Amino acid sequence: MSLSTPVALVVFNRPRLTEQTLAAIRAAAPERLFVIADGPRADRPEDVALCAETRALIDTVDWPCEVVRRFAPRNLGLEANVELGLDWVFAQTDAAIVLEDDCHPDPSFFPYVEELLARYRDDPRIWQVSGSGMGVPERLFGGDSYAFTAWASVWGWATWADRWHRHRAVFPRDHAPSDAPVRTVPAVQQPGHLVTRSGQQHFADAARSDDTVIHGWDKHWWLTMLTLGGLALSPSRNLVENVGWGEDATHGAAAGKRDHGASAMELPLRHPAEVAVNVEVERELELVLSRVGGRAAMLARRFVKSPQVRRAARVAVNSRPALAVQRFVSRSRDRVAP
């Protein structure tokens, strides 16, 4: 059975990862595939062959499918390639599933997303369907298949064209030279959406920053959601594994790092009884964000250069005792008053 929702595949110069993700897409057999491919970097001659090899994989699509290509002739950079690429996608379809080359989905990801896109298509409160659970314990979902959260991972996700267009109306960055992030509507967090001080501080920092490496396109998407009161859907199980942690990663270069493995979502889906932020799931997501991109994590990356020390620090910070302490501190002290 084919997938009626189009898939947008974002690629660059990693043919091995692209081939694996394309295999998962082939199994789902979408009727329409958009390919957003960045071009080679001028100062990296090896990119020419790698980009060509990556693009050639699209010619191997062998199921009934309309393939629509956006192949950049030169390097745009991750931010421009994604934002301008999604502008192009959502000018042609009213909804899409988005996968980057290093995001490998479980087969259940596709029916999960397609059902939720249909269920919440006409509910303007819902902006994003995510496939990555970020390691949030399943017990916190209370038996539901997903939870409503203030933000959610874009390691395998989906949205509707009208939501993307609303975001781009308030964040109209066109990536002209020296085009810093500028908002037509200031980023203001809605009360009750973020539930920890660390989460509130992280997004406040992102709203003030023009650093697109630390605070990339996804943070700006989430800032728009927080400003306009949108919610995301976070799955109770991790449905997509990010495997792009090697030296060729743009934002996630970390030797030896592994994402949570992908597993199957049980069907039929079990829906929450009401549309409201699940505080405990949201807390866990914000604690993940703090560990990965908080101020302490940024300082550690700046001053700790040894890969061995970094790896040991990751293990320690993500150990069960450390996670238990973080949760205790958050519940007792960090909850943001509505």
Side-chain angles (χ1 to χ4, degrees):
M1 183 175 180
S2 62
L3 181 71
S4 61
T5 304
V7 172
L9 176 62
V10 182
V11 302
F12 175 33
N13 68 347
R14 298 188 287 184
R16 181 184 61 83
L17 294 179
T18 299
E19 185 175 24
Q20 295 172 21
T21 301
L22 188 61
I25 295 172
R26 176 180 286 105
E31 298 171 2
R32 201 173 191 193
L33 176 65
F34 293 96
V35 184
I36 305 167
D38 204 357
R41 294 165 291 189
D43 60 343
R44 300 287 184 88
E46 66 274 16
D47 276 358
V48 174
L50 289 171
C51 288
E53 186 179 352
T54 301
R55 295 177 180 194
L57 290 169
I58 307 306
D59 296 331
T60 68
V61 169
D62 56 3
W63 67 92
C65 177
E66 177 189 1
V67 180
V68 191
R69 297 167 173 83
R70 186 180 191 272
F71 288 176
R74 59 179 178 81
N75 187 258
L76 302 174
L78 187 150
E79 299 291 307
N81 191 50
V82 172
E83 284 185 345
L84 300 180
L86 291 181
D87 289 347
W88 170 77
V89 168
F90 288 118
Q92 302 174 72
T93 184
D94 63 356
I97 298 168
V98 184
L99 286 166
E100 296 185 50
D101 59 1
D102 55 4
C103 294
H104 294 174
D106 179 85
S108 63
F109 165 73
F110 295 100
Y112 160 82
V113 171
E114 190 159 59
E115 178 176 340
L116 294 181
L117 283 173
R119 184 180 180 89
Y120 293 106
R121 181 183 305 278
D122 298 321
D123 189 334
R125 297 171 294 179
I126 311 306
W127 279 54
Q128 176 184 339
V129 182
S130 179
S132 173
M134 302 293 287
V136 175
E138 188 172 353
R139 58 180 172 77
L140 298 180
F141 291 79
D144 294 332
S145 300
Y146 59 93
F148 297 100
T149 55
W151 70 283
S153 173
V154 291
W155 292 346
W157 66 292
T159 192
W160 302 265
D162 59 349
R163 276 68 149 187
W164 181 257
H165 294 324
R166 286 186 69 192
H167 165 57
R168 296 292 277 149
V170 301
F171 187 67
R173 177 171 58 172
D174 62 6
H175 298 279
S178 303
D179 183 22
V182 175
R183 291 185 166 272
T184 60
V185 177
V188 178
Q189 298 172 19
Q190 295 297 314
H193 278 218
L194 297 173
V195 300
T196 68
R197 293 179 185 178
S198 62
Q200 188 180 50
Q201 185 63 61
H202 185 93
F203 282 107
D205 289 345
R208 291 190 294 265
S209 176
D210 61 1
D211 187 330
T212 58
V213 174
I214 295 176
H215 302 297
W217 70 269
D218 49 354
K219 299 279 182 70
H220 293 289
W221 163 250
W222 298 327
L223 282 167
T224 299
M225 289 172 53
L226 288 168
T227 299
L228 300 182
L231 293 173
L233 308 182
S234 293
S236 60
R237 295 182 180 178
N238 201 56
L239 304 179
V240 181
E241 180 180 3
N242 187 310
V243 297
W245 300 102
E247 293 182 357
D248 55 355
T250 300
H251 288 168
K257 186 171 181 177
R258 289 294 304 272
D259 186 22
H260 300 274
S263 60
M265 176 65 73
E266 291 183 1
L267 301 174
L269 297 182
R270 299 179 300 277
H271 304 284
E274 61 176 339
V275 177
V277 170
N278 181 316
V279 171
E280 291 306 317
V281 173
E282 176 62 31
R283 184 192 314 282
E284 288 289 324
L285 288 174
E286 291 175 32
L287 291 177
V288 171
L289 191 63
S290 179
R291 291 194 296 272
V292 173
R295 291 180 174 182
M298 293 296 104
L299 287 172
R301 290 192 182 96
R302 181 177 179 183
F303 293 110
V304 179
K305 302 302 182 183
S306 167
Q308 292 79 11
V309 174
R310 287 189 175 187
R311 192 175 302 117
R314 282 199 302 270
V315 172
V317 168
N318 290 286
S319 67
R320 287 187 178 182
L323 295 178
V325 169
Q326 293 169 34
R327 291 165 184 149
F328 174 79
V329 170
S330 176
R331 290 190 181 99
S332 61
R333 187 193 65 186
D334 286 348
R335 184 169 180 177
V336 178

